[in-house]
Amino acid sequence: MVCISFLTEHEADAVELARVLNQHRLLMFDLIEDHVDLLWDGEAPSRRKLTHLTGFTKALLYTTVERTAREVLGDRLIRMWAMPVTSFDPRSTQELMAWLAKA
């Protein structure tokens, strides 16, 4: 299982991606948060407001999720990454595995 994250400039893009991933049973327990990206131009930092979408999926579905995210958002997808989940409560694990698409 992995926790997968997406950064977009606009909340509407993150919501649209979450809708598509949910519709195809590729992401569960999704959350949206506001984030600020710190960019550097020489010595001076600048800030860019971003929306962070995160959720959980089966590790074997990562390439499908990545491909879907790129198809839905294209260059509006600022950044994407995943981290392995080594432990999850048993009830949520069972719910996640039963609901997500079969790999």
Side-chain angles (χ1 to χ4, degrees):
M1 182 176 347
V2 294
C3 178
I4 192 163
S5 291
F6 311 87
L7 289 178
T8 64
E9 286 194 59
H10 305 286
E11 183 175 318
D13 291 335
V15 170
E16 173 64 12
L17 178 58
R19 185 188 67 74
V20 170
L21 292 174
N22 187 283
Q23 179 182 23
H24 293 287
R25 299 173 71 100
L26 295 171
L27 189 70
M28 194 168 182
F29 306 133
D30 32 326
L31 301 170
I32 288 185
E33 303 173 287
D34 292 329
H35 276 249
V36 176
D37 204 10
L38 192 59
L39 304 172
W40 293 91
D41 184 13
E43 296 291 318
S46 63
R47 297 171 187 273
R48 172 175 59 170
K49 291 183 180 183
L50 298 171
T51 299
H52 181 195
L53 168 64
T54 188
F56 294 87
T57 193
K58 292 179 183 175
L60 292 174
L61 294 175
Y62 178 83
T63 55
T64 302
V65 171
E66 181 181 26
R67 183 178 61 250
T68 303
R70 295 198 184 284
E71 288 172 0
V72 171
L73 296 180
D75 61 357
R76 296 175 302 166
L77 179 61
I78 304 297
R79 196 168 300 119
M80 179 181 167
W81 69 93
M83 296 183 295
V85 175
T86 59
S87 181
F88 211 41
D89 65 275
R91 185 175 44 116
S92 295
T93 299
Q94 184 177 19
E95 186 179 351
L96 185 77
M97 294 304 182
W99 189 82
L100 289 172
K102 304 291 181 205

